[in-house]
Amino acid sequence: MRQDAIAILGGTGDQGLGLALRFAKAGRPVVIGSRKLERAEEAAAKVRQEVPDGDVEGRTNEDAAARAPIVILSIPFEHFASTVKRIRDKLAEGQIVVSMGVPLATAIGDGAVRTVGIWQGSCAELVKTLVPDGVQVVSAFQNVSAHRLQHLAEEVECDVLVSGARAPRERVMALCALVPGLRAVDAGPLANARIVEQITALLIGLNVRYEVPEGLGIRIAGLPAGNSGA
Amino acid sequence: MRQDAIAILGGTGDQGLGLALRFAKAGRPVVIGSRKLERAEEAAAKVRQEVPDGDVEGRTNEDAAARAPIVILSIPFEHFASTVKRIRDKLAEGQIVVSMGVPLATAIGDGAVRTVGIWQGSCAELVKTLVPDGVQVVSAFQNVSAHRLQHLAEEVECDVLVSGARAPRERVMALCALVPGLRAVDAGPLANARIVEQITALLIGLNVRYEVPEGLGIRIAGLPAGNSGA
């Protein structure tokens, strides 16, 4: 396992692919995971096309999960629990799993501007109940526009509200500095994912009402200058 | 009832007083409501001290509710339902009630960085079930710092996410233009108050972690220029 590698499960989807592009462009080794190996390899080839010197490989989700100290879950909410159950045996103590999940009501055939309730409180807290002891869970990146991530020439104007236990949270906050425009904001304990995940549904509604297909972001106003809390 | 008047129930509290100051300074007649008449009159006197030509009066909540087409509820969550029940007979068809309420867990003796669940979905939706037919309910102003509202010399850097039915929502959005720095954002139907109210608890946690006692705000990033949706 390379210590600077980042695994992105569901890296074939819009948001996961966007993060893969940005992290590869920043010079970090990226492992894209997918249920099917060939789809992961296709996504890796797409990233290399945009970032010719990028260090990117495609793997099955199970393989990808074992190949990086930080494993980002960028998968539709309805596949979250089953995916975590499928990779849990590959996870080892000290690894960090990052939940980008948002319980959009699309999971039950309703709209993306609403959410469903989760017994554990949030998608991130659901993940926390499923990973082995010693594996840390952090919530981040839910509010970042997939479209803006994929447009490498432009900055991504968005704050990333990162929540979880202090040490892993700070490691995930440091990843935000790899993407021009992103700013990490210390959103405290993992339970705050309950609020952060909901904001995505609000932003999706705003994207529609204001006709901004590229996707809006969120900024916390009034933070001390230069302070990303990391 | 003067058509340009704004009533603020709980206008003796920090946030309500801040809005009273700002609206008075913008030249709008303001009616401050409180449970006790003398406390309302004291608050009105405070506003006149800061805004000498302000048109401000203090009334009981019941009287204040009948004296303006827009009635803003700026009261602690634990007193919301009882206050609305007490004023409901004073409300008439066509009036707009604005809920600033946030179900902070302080209502049950827990902390302000968490919320309690509301059966109706949000404080604003709870209010909606209590007002007479024909009275409109709009959710707004929850995320605006009381401290920043009260400092008249400075702009209030914050977006106001306004939700409710279209016509009353647009009337409340127009109020935001009275306060320098505030920008109204069209947050769609009233049910979105479920998300907007939660953001206040998140901001309170951020105020503590980043040591910003003046209070942080929120901005939606990427909105079309000059577009407040009103």
Side-chain angles (χ1 to χ4, degrees), chain A residues 14 145-148 151 203-204 206-216, chain B residues 222 224:
Chain A
D14 283 343
S145 153
H147 182 280
R148 294 189 194 270
H151 282 65
L203 289 174
I204 290 171
L206 290 170
N207 293 343
V208 175
R209 274 191 299 286
Y210 285 95
E211 299 177 0
V212 183
E214 314 86 62
L216 297 161

Side-chain angles (χ1 to χ4, degrees), chain A residues 113-115 148 157-158 161 166 169 173 184-189 192 195-196 198-199 201-203 205-206 209-212 214-224 227-230, chain B residues 113-115 148 157-158 161 166 169 173 184-189 192 195-196 198-199 201-203 205-206 209-212 214-224 227-230:
Chain A
V113 299
R114 285 180 288 281
T115 58
R148 294 189 194 270
E157 201 193 341
C158 196
L161 295 155
R166 178 168 296 277
R169 180 173 76 215
M173 289 176 74
V185 172
D186 177 353
N192 284 341
I195 304 174
V196 178
Q198 304 294 320
I199 291 173
L202 186 71
L203 289 174
L206 290 170
R209 274 191 299 286
Y210 285 95
E211 299 177 0
V212 183
E214 314 86 62
L216 297 161
I218 189 173
R219 287 289 195 199
I220 302 301
L223 283 179
N227 192 343
S228 79
Chain B
V113 299
R114 285 180 288 280
T115 58
R148 293 190 194 268
E157 201 193 341
C158 196
L161 296 155
R166 177 167 297 277
R169 180 174 76 215
M173 289 177 75
V185 173
D186 178 353
N192 284 341
I195 304 174
V196 178
Q198 305 294 320
I199 292 173
L202 187 71
L203 289 174
L206 290 170
R209 274 191 299 285
Y210 284 96
E211 300 177 0
V212 183
E214 314 87 60
L216 297 162
I218 189 173
R219 288 288 195 200
I220 302 300
L223 284 179
N227 191 343
S228 80

Side-chain angles (χ1 to χ4, degrees), chain B residues 73-199:
Chain B
L73 304 180
S74 178
I75 44 188
F77 171 65
E78 57 268 37
H79 300 134
F80 243 83
S82 58
T83 302
V84 176
K85 287 176 188 169
R86 222 174 298 120
I87 64 162
R88 64 190 298 174
D89 292 342
K90 312 291 182 178
L91 297 171
E93 194 169 326
Q95 271 183 296
I96 298 171
V97 171
V98 180
S99 171
M100 293 177 66
V102 174
L104 297 179
T106 47
I108 56 159
D110 191 21
V113 299
R114 285 180 288 280
T115 58
V116 293
I118 297 179
W119 191 270
Q120 294 85 350
S122 61
C123 180
E125 290 165 283
L126 166 60
V127 172
K128 179 77 185 157
T129 65
L130 296 175
V131 297
D133 286 349
V135 172
Q136 304 273 7
V137 176
V138 169
S139 149
F141 299 117
Q142 298 96 335
N143 305 326
V144 182
S145 152
H147 182 279
R148 293 190 194 268
L149 281 174
Q150 291 190 24
H151 282 66
L152 289 178
E154 288 164 38
E155 294 206 351
V156 184
E157 201 193 341
C158 196
D159 282 352
V160 178
L161 296 155
V162 185
S163 57
R166 177 167 297 277
R169 180 174 76 215
E170 288 178 354
R171 285 184 62 195
V172 174
M173 289 177 75
L175 294 184
C176 297
L178 300 174
V179 184
L182 288 190
R183 179 177 65 168
V185 173
D186 178 353
L190 193 65
N192 284 341
R194 298 170 191 201
I195 304 174
V196 178
E197 293 176 2
Q198 305 294 320
I199 292 173

Side-chain angles (χ1 to χ4, degrees), chain A:
Chain A
M1 185 188 295
R2 291 166 63 181
Q3 285 310 308
D4 56 347
I6 303 166
I8 304 173
L9 277 50
T12 57
D14 283 343
Q15 221 178 0
L17 186 65
L19 278 181
L21 282 162
R22 295 285 183 170
F23 292 146
K25 183 161 168 128
R28 298 288 286 265
V30 172
V31 186
I32 291 181
S34 179
R35 277 182 288 184
K36 294 189 176 165
L37 176 61
E38 65 185 7
R39 292 207 56 218
E41 287 175 336
E42 278 168 27
K46 268 194 221 171
V47 173
R48 280 191 301 265
Q49 205 163 27
E50 295 267 331
V51 187
D53 57 348
D55 179 351
V56 190
E57 57 176 350
R59 298 272 174 172
T60 63
N61 281 332
E62 291 84 343
D63 282 354
R67 296 179 73 81
I70 296 182
V71 179
I72 299 176
L73 305 180
S74 177
I75 44 188
F77 171 65
E78 56 269 37
H79 299 133
F80 243 83
S82 59
T83 302
V84 175
K85 287 176 188 168
R86 222 174 297 121
I87 65 162
R88 63 189 298 173
D89 291 343
K90 311 292 181 178
L91 296 171
E93 196 169 326
Q95 271 183 296
I96 298 171
V97 171
V98 180
S99 170
M100 293 177 66
V102 174
L104 296 180
T106 47
I108 56 160
D110 191 21
V113 299
R114 285 180 288 281
T115 58
V116 294
I118 297 179
W119 191 269
Q120 294 84 349
S122 62
C123 181
E125 290 165 282
L126 165 61
V127 172
K128 179 76 184 157
T129 64
L130 296 174
V131 297
D133 286 350
V135 172
Q136 305 273 7
V137 176
V138 169
S139 150
F141 299 117
Q142 297 95 336
N143 305 325
V144 182
S145 153
H147 182 280
R148 294 189 194 270
L149 281 173
Q150 291 190 23
H151 282 65
L152 288 178
E154 288 164 38
E155 294 206 352
V156 184
E157 201 193 341
C158 196
D159 282 352
V160 178
L161 295 155
V162 184
S163 56
R166 178 168 296 277
R169 180 173 76 215
E170 289 177 354
R171 285 184 63 195
V172 175
M173 289 176 74
L175 292 184
C176 297
L178 300 175
V179 184
L182 288 190
R183 179 177 65 168
V185 172
D186 177 353
L190 193 66
N192 284 341
R194 297 170 192 201
I195 304 174
V196 178
E197 293 176 3
Q198 304 294 320
I199 291 173
T200 298
L202 186 71
L203 289 174
I204 290 171
L206 290 170
N207 293 343
V208 175
R209 274 191 299 286
Y210 285 95
E211 299 177 0
V212 183
E214 314 86 62
L216 297 161
I218 189 173
R219 287 289 195 199
I220 302 301
L223 283 179
N227 192 343
S228 79

